[in-house]
Amino acid sequence: MNKSSFLLGIGAGVGLVILFMLNVFFFYKVGNKVVDSIEESYENKKFEQIKNVAENFSVNFEDAKQGSIFTASSSGIMVVQDPLKQGNHCLQVEFPAGASYPGILFQLPENRGMNWQANKEFLADIYNPGLKPVKMTLKLKSGLKYPKKSYDKDFVVPQGKWVTVRLGIDDLKRELDITKISYIKYFISDPATTYNLYFDNFRVNKD
């Protein structure tokens, strides 16, 4: 092989490498745009599903779409029939032993918030089928972007019956911007035992 042929081969190889790298860069950029577009579409679609819920915040799981309003956080969730047959459907939540703060979470997309200024209470119905009361925490956050203001309330769910857990909006005013509520989570701190609880009728009221 003469010198010119060798150099020509080297040049062709370098050209192929450059062409390959350009293709990789192109598909990387296009791929990122596609992923971003899919994520944005998903967030918009998810927000459309929860928009009406967020405006008045009323979730009772009779509409199948409301099963996706809350997401699992180190827990297992499933829409089931009311175990005490006092309603039609509710959300069954498993809080696994050893999990880190397992619970259920409702969170609005960035730059979205609920205005609860005209309301008096935030309520939810919870059923504990176990043999002992269960201590839980309700965490709310306000703000359109992180970092957000945060508020925690500990409470106990007695066993054997549906109970209504109430939170006064006036209590929230001291810690949160109640015109920009964007995050709700019910959780158990590091449970030593696996718990199964049922949730229904999340709502705000003006009475």
Side-chain angles (χ1 to χ4, degrees):
M1 179 182 293
N2 58 37
K3 185 176 181 180
S4 60
S5 297
F6 175 76
L7 292 175
L8 183 62
I10 292 295
V14 170
L16 288 174
V17 170
I18 292 173
L19 181 61
F20 173 76
M21 295 302 293
L22 287 173
N23 282 333
V24 169
F25 178 77
F26 172 78
F27 284 111
Y28 172 78
K29 296 294 286 185
V30 171
N32 275 351
K33 288 183 178 180
V34 170
V35 170
D36 290 343
S37 177
I38 291 173
E39 289 180 347
E40 182 178 359
S41 175
Y42 171 77
E43 287 298 327
N44 289 337
K45 183 177 180 182
K46 184 176 181 181
F47 178 70
E48 286 302 315
Q49 290 178 348
I50 65 178
K51 182 170 64 175
N52 291 333
V53 170
E55 287 173 354
N56 299 301
F57 207 80
S58 177
V59 183
N60 60 22
F61 305 107
E62 298 311 318
D63 182 346
K65 293 181 180 179
Q66 291 193 352
S68 62
I69 296 300
F70 281 90
T71 55
S73 176
S74 301
S75 62
I77 61 175
M78 181 185 303
V79 175
V80 298
Q81 290 194 341
D82 179 355
L84 295 186
K85 306 194 183 302
Q86 294 180 0
N88 292 322
H89 295 88
C90 58
L91 188 68
Q92 180 181 7
V93 183
E94 180 184 67
F95 300 81
S100 180
Y101 304 104
I104 51 173
L105 171 65
F106 172 90
Q107 181 167 216
L108 288 173
E110 190 174 273
N111 295 319
R112 309 284 187 177
M114 297 180 287
N115 186 348
W116 286 2
Q117 197 168 19
N119 296 291
K120 183 179 179 181
E121 289 183 303
F122 171 55
L123 311 93
D125 299 334
I126 306 178
Y127 169 57
N128 169 18
L131 300 177
K132 296 180 179 180
V134 176
K135 183 179 179 181
M136 300 193 68
T137 301
L138 168 59
K139 178 184 288 291
L140 290 96
K141 296 181 181 181
S142 68
L144 305 184
K145 294 182 178 180
Y146 282 94
K148 298 183 177 184
K149 295 180 179 179
S150 182
Y151 174 90
D152 285 12
K153 177 184 178 180
D154 295 329
F155 62 95
V156 175
V157 184
Q159 68 274 27
K161 62 181 179 180
W162 281 100
V163 295
T164 300
V165 177
R166 301 172 180 270
L167 177 60
I169 302 300
D170 284 342
D171 294 334
L172 295 180
K173 289 180 181 178
R174 303 184 186 97
E175 303 290 339
L176 304 181
D177 181 348
I178 61 170
T179 67
K180 298 176 183 177
I181 301 296
S182 55
Y183 177 106
I184 302 169
K185 183 178 181 180
Y186 290 83
F187 65 91
I188 298 176
S189 299
D190 302 316
T193 302
T194 296
Y195 296 100
N196 279 281
L197 302 177
Y198 298 82
F199 294 77
D200 203 1
N201 299 319
F202 297 90
R203 61 209 185 271
V204 289
N205 67 26
K206 299 179 181 180
D207 299 327

